[in-house]
Structure formats: structure tokens, C-alpha cells
Amino acid sequence: MYLYTDATDGQVLALEQPCRPNFSQKFLNTITTKLGYTPTPEAIIYYIYAIFHSPTYRTRYTEFLKIDFPRVPLTSNNELFQQLANYGEELVSLHLMKSLQLDNFITKFVENDGNNLVDVGHPKYNQDAVTINRKGDKSTGVPEEVWKFQIGGYQVCQKWLKVRKGRQLIDDIKNNWAVKLQQEETLENLNVTSERINSIKKRLKKFDSLPGGLEPITVKNIIKKLSVWKELKQVHKLLCEYTEGSKANLDDETFLVQLVQDTDKLNLITNDGIKPTSLRVSLAAILT
């Protein structure tokens, strides 16, 4: 994150040396222009971390990520930047095993005289349980979504256990490999959000003609933005207002016009604006 000047006299400690952020000046100028200020290096790293860990980003650009460095979409919406940076900070804390959330288990390890060893041909997943040996030692309460989660083409939990074949899992490991990261809550929220988007789509299909001079491509892009960024709290709130709140009772014409206006206020990046082939900044260009 930082570059430190080499000490030449041997008397200056590394941590006391002058340092500067490890970002190119071109990148810093770009993000400053977009946001109107220069974020801290930590905030930038957290923002990038959140983007790169977005399931939508990874799924949409799987093929591009196989052949090139990941590219970073930049936003001019400071609220969006700050929220993603907060998400990224939480993820960093989780991945460094520092988060207090890791103290809340959703799994339970059941021993059946297998000595906690990972046998050949294991692990095996069945009905929310991961069995690690022929005796039946297993972890229960493992959601299927967690078990199937992949990074770089590998199932994370399965890979973690497979490389420990023939080894005994100690007490802190046999619980920690499937700790609670609030996946259930996140997945439930995304399912509800998807249902709300579908509800809005059904209502829009009733239009024979669009009001207020709106173009079909404009309405299409609004739905696309909401689908791409459905994990954001601002989008959750907007969708709730238009499906269950007061705005759900608006007449059809007012409903559509206000939906377009309110979505535009979020300054969400459109699908076309974050294609890896057209991003303004790549990871290689960010670093000096």
C-alpha cells in the first residue's frame, strides 16, 4: 500500500522513513476528479477489495479474468464509494481472521471415533453435513451455498479439506473452516431483492407506451443497473419503496417516471460502463 524510501545511513528505521502511497499519480488524479477529493490509500484498497469480491463482478467477467489483470470501475458517487469501502474493510477483517463475526459459529462438529482425520475420498457433502472420514466424523449445519462457493475455479471448503488428507483436524480448525460470515442473511436479502426486481419488471411490461418521453433503452438500463448493484443498501431501500412502500401505490405513469429519476440519483455504473475492455483503470495502471 505504501512505498518507503531506502535508508542510506543505516540509522533510520524502516517504519520511520518517508513513505508515499503505492498508486500512480495518473490513477490518483482520476479518482480525485471523479470524487472531488483524494481518498486515503486504505479507503481505495478497501473499495477495490469489495469490487473484486463481488459475485456479480466475478461472474460477469469470468472469461476476462482468466486472461488479464482485473480492472477497476470507478464511481463519481461518493456515497457508493464509501459504502463499498466499508464492505471491503469488513471483508479484509474477515479474511485476516480478525473480525468478531468469526466467533459466531453456524456449524457443529460431530465426532464418531474417526480421530478427526481426513480420509482418502473425502470430504463428502450431503444434506448440510460435510463428512471427513469413513467413521463419520463430520461438520453439520453447513449451507450448500457456502460449500459450493468458488474462487478461481476451486471450491474453497472442499479444497481446504482435501489438502489436509491424512491429517488430524485440531479443535480450533474443525470449527473455524466453516465459520459464520453472515452468508445466510446476505443470500436471503439477495433473494428478496431479486423478487422485488421481478415485481417491477412485471409492472413495466403492462405499458403499451412509455410516458414522459422516456425511451425503451432508458427503462432497460434502469433495470440493468438495479440488477447489477442489487447488493447495495441504497438499491435495497429503493426497491422496497417501489414494491412495498408508498411509491408502490403510485399510478403507473408516475411510478415509472419517479423510478427512473430515483435510480439516476444513485449514480450507479451501468453494465456497459464496467466492461473489462473499456475500463479506464486497470490494476497494473493503478500501481506505480
Side-chain angles (χ1 to χ4, degrees):
M1 187 185 309
Y2 292 97
L3 292 177
Y4 291 86
T5 304
D6 291 334
T8 56
D9 58 7
Q11 297 180 355
V12 182
L13 295 176
L15 294 179
E16 296 177 347
Q17 296 174 35
C19 64
R20 62 182 178 85
N22 188 20
F23 298 113
S24 68
Q25 191 58 51
K26 181 179 180 180
F27 169 74
L28 291 176
N29 291 342
T30 300
I31 197 169
T32 299
T33 300
K34 282 188 166 292
L35 294 175
Y37 71 98
T38 304
T40 65
E42 290 80 6
I44 294 173
I45 289 295
Y46 294 148
Y47 170 82
I48 295 172
Y49 205 78
I51 291 290
F52 287 171
H53 282 81
S54 164
T56 302
Y57 178 91
R58 290 181 172 186
T59 301
R60 191 178 298 276
Y61 304 120
T62 298
E63 296 305 315
F64 290 97
L65 294 172
K66 290 179 181 178
I67 60 176
D68 200 0
F69 289 109
R71 304 196 177 211
V72 184
L74 297 179
T75 178
S76 57
N77 184 335
N78 183 55
E79 185 178 356
L80 175 61
F81 176 86
Q82 293 293 340
Q83 184 168 350
L84 287 174
N86 289 337
Y87 286 155
E89 185 174 10
E90 289 180 25
L91 282 173
V92 169
S93 179
L94 287 165
H95 293 168
L96 292 178
M97 305 299 287
K98 294 181 178 180
S99 174
L100 295 179
Q101 294 183 49
L102 299 178
D103 293 332
N104 302 317
F105 300 128
I106 60 171
T107 62
K108 179 181 179 181
F109 194 80
V110 180
E111 299 184 45
N112 289 303
D113 298 324
N115 204 27
N116 303 334
L117 289 173
V118 182
D119 279 346
V120 175
H122 291 76
K124 295 180 180 180
Y125 182 82
N126 184 42
Q127 297 182 344
D128 293 340
V130 179
T131 304
I132 64 171
N133 54 44
R134 290 182 291 273
K135 292 286 188 178
D137 290 349
K138 61 185 177 182
S139 282
T140 60
V142 182
E144 185 176 5
E145 294 87 352
V146 176
W147 175 251
K148 290 184 175 180
F149 180 73
Q150 293 188 4
I151 294 180
Y154 292 100
Q155 278 188 234
V156 178
C157 293
Q158 182 186 59
K159 182 69 173 179
W160 193 93
L161 288 166
K162 275 189 172 181
V163 298
R164 286 160 177 79
K165 190 183 303 179
R167 291 167 54 179
Q168 184 180 36
L169 302 185
I170 58 177
D171 289 340
D172 60 334
I173 292 180
K174 67 188 181 187
N175 284 315
N176 282 333
W177 74 271
V179 294
K180 181 176 183 180
L181 302 182
Q182 294 187 344
Q183 294 98 334
E184 289 180 316
E185 178 183 353
T186 300
L187 290 167
E188 181 181 355
N189 287 340
L190 291 183
N191 289 336
V192 171
T193 301
S194 296
E195 291 175 2
R196 288 171 176 162
I197 292 175
N198 289 334
S199 175
I200 291 176
K201 285 181 179 179
K202 289 179 181 178
R203 185 166 180 178
L204 297 184
K205 286 181 180 179
K206 299 178 181 179
F207 284 89
D208 294 324
S209 60
L210 297 177
L214 291 175
E215 297 291 335
I217 187 63
T218 301
V219 178
K220 182 179 179 181
N221 283 336
I222 288 297
I223 297 299
K224 189 182 296 185
K225 288 178 182 180
L226 295 175
S227 298
V228 169
W229 295 104
K230 62 183 179 181
E231 301 169 41
L232 296 179
K233 290 182 179 178
Q234 300 103 308
V235 174
H236 288 177
K237 182 178 179 181
L238 183 148
L239 292 173
C240 185
E241 289 177 353
Y242 279 89
T243 55
E244 301 173 13
S246 59
K247 294 188 178 181
N249 299 318
L250 296 172
D251 64 85
D252 288 342
E253 181 174 334
T254 306
F255 175 89
L256 179 54
V257 172
Q258 289 199 12
L259 176 65
V260 171
Q261 293 174 346
D262 289 346
T263 304
D264 282 342
K265 290 177 183 178
L266 296 180
N267 291 323
L268 301 174
I269 303 170
T270 61
N271 178 29
D272 294 336
I274 53 176
K275 286 183 178 178
T277 54
S278 65
L279 292 179
R280 293 192 178 97
V281 182
S282 69
L283 187 60
I286 290 176
L287 301 177
T288 54

